[in-house]
Amino acid sequence: MWMEVDFHNYRQTHHWRIEETDECLFLIDVAQPSPYDTDIRRLFEITDQLHQRVRVALEIDSGILKEKERQRKVNVWLYAPELLARAECVSPAKPRQCYGVADAAGLHLVKHEIAWDAPAVIEIVLHESIHLWWADQVGKAPSLLNEGIAMYFQSVLGANAVPEREELRSSWQEYATRAEPGFLRQLCKDEVFWRQDAVREPVFKVGGHLISFLLETYGMSSVREIFLKSHFNDPKLVDHIEDVIGESIEQLEQRINESTASA
């Protein structure tokens, strides 16, 4: 969880200004909001563009989109900066300036001492939009694949696409060099993934490179099938991957190691 906040209770106890765009309903909880805040207006434009680009990249059927999604625009919640202080996320030990999460209620954004259209906020919008649209279509798998999907497509659609793709590959290579063989099987377990993330291992990017390899080798349909067979915190994720690709998870790990070494 990105921070301990009761979003439902918070939403019920605050007043919201609502702005509508082609893609989204923006629900704004910002001190003394002005409809002429230029950074918020720019965020409206960018978020709409990102939603359109994410749908194309994820190959979301336009017929389904027209029938289903145009009946409800995506909720994008912009919280007052005080929410970060309330959640004890702003301190010298925690210098993060912005956070985001996607759930059934939409896309939640809160930032501190930067503009709403700052590059760091836009990267979070992109990352969480990928989560939102992908889960809407095929559900969630354990975190290695959930975060892998978001990191891969963020590297494709982000402002620095080529360097970010290379960073996914190099992160896998560096991690594999110091990890014990069989690490991919272990990272498929949520508790291992988040324990590794807590000690600053680049497991998000490792997942991103895994998705990159699966897409290039087996195609989008196979990646979708893995997600459709699985669910969040699924203890049988390895079995589902092996069923779809027709080889063991250890063989997959070795093939990716070989491809990164020869790149």
Side-chain angles (χ1 to χ4, degrees):
M1 183 63 177
W2 65 302
M3 61 180 181
E4 295 298 327
V5 174
D6 182 349
F7 283 117
H8 178 75
N9 181 65
Y10 192 97
R11 291 196 300 269
Q12 297 301 311
T13 56
H14 284 68
H15 296 288
W16 300 88
R17 171 179 129 220
I18 300 177
E19 297 277 346
E20 183 174 5
T21 65
D22 290 342
E23 302 287 329
C24 304
L25 287 176
F26 287 86
L27 300 103
I28 305 168
D29 173 37
V30 177
Q32 298 180 338
S34 166
Y36 305 105
D37 292 337
T38 57
D39 59 336
I40 290 181
R41 308 304 299 188
R42 179 63 179 149
L43 179 65
F44 295 168
E45 299 172 7
I46 295 172
T47 303
D48 270 17
Q49 294 167 8
L50 289 180
H51 278 296
Q52 294 165 11
R53 293 176 63 196
V54 166
R55 287 200 302 270
V56 171
L58 297 182
E59 300 179 8
I60 294 175
D61 184 86
S62 59
I64 295 175
L65 179 68
K66 183 175 181 180
E67 177 182 348
K68 181 180 178 182
E69 293 302 332
R70 281 294 178 260
Q71 297 176 14
R72 61 170 177 83
K73 296 189 177 183
V74 176
N75 289 338
V76 180
W77 303 83
L78 307 184
Y79 294 88
E82 290 75 14
L83 186 62
L84 282 176
R86 178 182 301 189
E88 299 182 348
C89 288
V90 178
S91 72
K94 297 180 179 180
R96 290 284 298 276
Q97 292 182 300
C98 53
Y99 291 81
V101 66
D103 62 19
L107 201 163
H108 306 264
L109 299 170
V110 55
K111 58 88 178 175
H112 177 71
E113 294 184 348
I114 58 174
W116 283 107
D117 60 348
V121 178
I122 300 309
E123 282 296 301
I124 287 177
V125 172
L126 174 57
H127 186 94
E128 299 302 336
S129 296
I130 295 163
H131 277 315
L132 188 151
W133 283 103
W134 183 259
D136 184 71
Q137 299 297 303
V138 297
K140 296 180 179 180
S143 298
L144 177 68
L145 293 192
N146 282 337
E147 298 303 339
I149 280 284
M151 291 302 297
Y152 170 76
F153 281 104
Q154 184 177 331
S155 77
V156 171
L157 299 173
N160 300 302
V162 173
E164 287 182 8
R165 288 289 301 281
E166 174 57 27
E167 190 173 346
L168 297 185
R169 187 197 66 79
S170 62
S171 293
W172 173 287
Q173 189 172 35
E174 292 168 9
Y175 183 89
T177 298
R178 61 179 181 272
E180 293 291 332
F183 68 83
L184 188 56
R185 178 181 292 272
Q186 294 303 310
L187 285 179
C188 286
K189 304 172 183 177
D190 274 341
E191 64 271 21
V192 176
F193 180 90
W194 290 111
R195 188 165 63 242
Q196 292 282 287
D197 179 65
V199 296
R200 300 187 181 277
E201 288 288 358
V203 288
F204 276 51
K205 294 175 183 177
V206 169
H209 188 66
L210 169 62
I211 291 295
S212 175
F213 185 87
L214 290 174
L215 286 171
E216 291 174 3
T217 307
Y218 301 99
M220 176 68 87
S221 61
S222 292
V223 174
R224 286 179 179 272
E225 185 178 355
I226 292 169
F227 273 81
L228 289 169
K229 285 176 175 286
S230 187
H231 59 79
F232 188 69
N233 202 25
D234 186 353
K236 296 184 177 181
L237 176 61
V238 169
D239 295 338
H240 300 318
I241 294 174
E242 292 178 338
D243 286 345
V244 171
I245 68 174
E247 63 181 344
S248 73
I249 199 78
E250 286 77 20
Q251 289 173 315
L252 175 62
E253 178 185 314
Q254 182 61 32
R255 290 181 64 194
I256 301 176
N257 287 342
E258 292 170 355
S259 72
T260 59
S262 62

